[in-house]
Amino acid sequence: MNLYTIEAGNFKLDGGAMFGIVPKTLWSKTNPADENNMIELAMRSLLIENGDRLTLVDTGMGTKQSEKFFGYYFLYGDDTLEKSLAKHGFHPDDITDVFLTHLHFDHSGGAVKWNADKTGYELAFKNATYWSNKSHWEWATKPNRRERASFLKENILPIEESGQLKFIEEPKEGNFTPAKEMDFDIWFVDGHTDKQMLPFIKHNGKTFVYVADLLPTAGHLPIPYVVGYDTRPLLTVDEKEIFLNKAADEGYYLILEHDPYKQIITVQHTEKGARLKETFTSKQLF
């Protein structure tokens, strides 16, 4: 097995929205804001090469939205999903599986693209099976009013219409499942959105966890630092505490999807709870 971090671009969001009730005087120490109160964020996908199987975890925003739409998110930098794949010697047509942790636009937008004449949509990874789970798919295709702006039908419905969509079997009890469909296990969490999936990957004697929006950046390590976008923030608090304590106990390596400065971290127990222990680049570990 080989792992690769895939940089799909950078964007900005309001720092207050990203840290909820936490005062700016605290969160700006780790995530400084610009003059418009926006903080820098990454869209970091993960590529898993295992034999003939090439699995892409999350896809960034993609490129098919309008200039007005992208104007809300202040995209910057030169990284794209396609360029990052090419850097590692891969093409979108090589991808055999696309695993979507959840269907918010900054995680699933790159899964679908315009067709050649921009009259409709097609899959960005034409040879891939796309993976979600039934509960989250139902949640996203019949969205609540809070999340409606994050679940864009053009990112979601073409996947189902393609016939290339499959669902991960959800755990019958608890929130952890050794997913027989994938090359990794999955931890299900519900605070950010219903049935978000976190891959647990065993590689070179280590356990890597792609933490998606349970822990967007290293600045979100303190338990109360919960993003304002979470649908069930009190549940996120509980899920973070359980997960981070286990991560400190077991020595997990946490792959951060949205931190523009830190790719992979470990955590340790302190009197204030789980806190940053070490920071790594993918080149150091993969």
Side-chain angles (χ1 to χ4, degrees):
M1 178 184 288
N2 296 307
L3 304 180
Y4 311 88
T5 51
I6 302 296
E7 304 295 338
N10 294 83
F11 68 115
K12 295 183 179 182
L13 286 178
D14 183 86
M18 283 300 293
F19 285 91
I21 63 170
V22 180
K24 182 178 180 179
T25 52
L26 296 178
W27 58 253
S28 61
K29 294 176 182 178
T30 55
N31 297 75
D34 65 16
E35 64 277 7
N36 295 314
N37 208 50
M38 310 293 281
I39 64 170
E40 296 180 349
L41 297 168
M43 289 179 285
R44 181 172 298 113
S45 301
L46 179 68
L47 189 64
I48 306 168
E49 182 183 27
N50 194 10
D52 293 333
R53 194 174 197 180
L54 200 60
T55 302
L56 182 66
V57 180
D58 280 357
T59 65
M61 286 190 197
T63 60
K64 67 183 176 297
Q65 304 302 328
S66 68
E67 184 177 345
K68 180 180 178 180
F69 177 90
F70 288 126
Y72 296 137
Y73 300 103
F74 302 91
L75 273 65
Y76 68 95
D78 297 323
D79 289 326
T80 69
L81 186 62
E82 291 78 8
K83 286 198 295 186
S84 191
L85 286 171
K87 179 181 176 181
H88 296 293
F90 300 108
H91 184 276
D93 293 353
D94 299 329
I95 304 300
T96 63
D97 299 86
V98 175
F99 180 90
L100 298 168
T101 61
H102 60 296
L103 294 165
H104 287 168
F105 67 85
D106 55 319
H107 298 256
S108 66
V112 175
K113 65 179 183 179
W114 283 112
N115 61 15
D117 55 6
K118 290 193 173 183
T119 58
Y121 302 108
E122 62 186 25
L123 297 191
F125 306 96
K126 66 180 184 181
N127 298 317
T129 299
Y130 282 63
W131 296 93
S132 182
N133 65 76
K134 191 172 184 179
S135 294
H136 184 66
W137 194 267
E138 181 80 5
W139 182 271
T141 52
K142 299 176 182 177
N144 59 76
R145 284 179 288 182
R146 182 181 177 90
E147 286 183 282
R148 188 173 296 158
S150 293
F151 291 129
L152 306 182
K153 61 183 181 180
E154 60 267 32
N155 292 337
I156 299 172
L157 298 184
I159 301 175
E160 186 171 31
E161 293 164 359
S162 74
Q164 292 170 232
L165 172 67
K166 290 187 178 180
F167 292 137
I168 299 291
E169 185 175 343
E170 299 169 40
K172 294 181 173 57
E173 58 181 345
N175 60 355
F176 190 78
T177 183
K180 64 179 184 296
E181 304 95 338
M182 308 307 298
D183 297 323
F184 45 78
D185 299 333
I186 300 169
W187 189 309
F188 285 76
V189 288
D190 299 300
H192 180 62
T193 188
D194 199 58
K195 294 294 180 291
Q196 180 182 199
M197 300 187 291
L198 310 184
F200 275 57
I201 304 129
K202 303 286 188 181
H203 178 59
N204 289 340
K206 298 177 176 65
T207 298
F208 293 90
V209 186
Y210 187 84
V211 290
D213 280 346
L214 179 66
L215 188 73
T217 75
H220 289 84
L221 280 170
I223 298 302
Y225 287 36
V226 174
V227 303
Y229 302 106
D230 285 8
T231 59
R232 307 179 183 105
L234 292 179
L235 180 55
T236 298
V237 166
D238 291 339
E239 290 174 337
K240 276 180 65 179
E241 185 169 29
I242 291 169
F243 173 76
L244 289 174
N245 283 333
K246 190 170 180 63
D249 288 341
E250 303 293 334
Y252 295 158
Y253 290 77
L254 310 183
I255 302 171
L256 301 176
E257 185 162 9
H258 288 312
D259 195 311
Y261 313 113
K262 297 177 174 64
Q263 291 184 331
I264 304 168
I265 64 171
T266 55
V267 297
Q268 61 187 338
H269 292 293
T270 75
E271 60 182 14
K272 293 183 178 181
R275 291 293 188 272
L276 181 66
K277 182 179 181 181
E278 294 182 276
T279 301
F280 303 90
T281 65
S282 58
K283 290 183 179 180
Q284 292 174 299
L285 296 174
F286 298 164

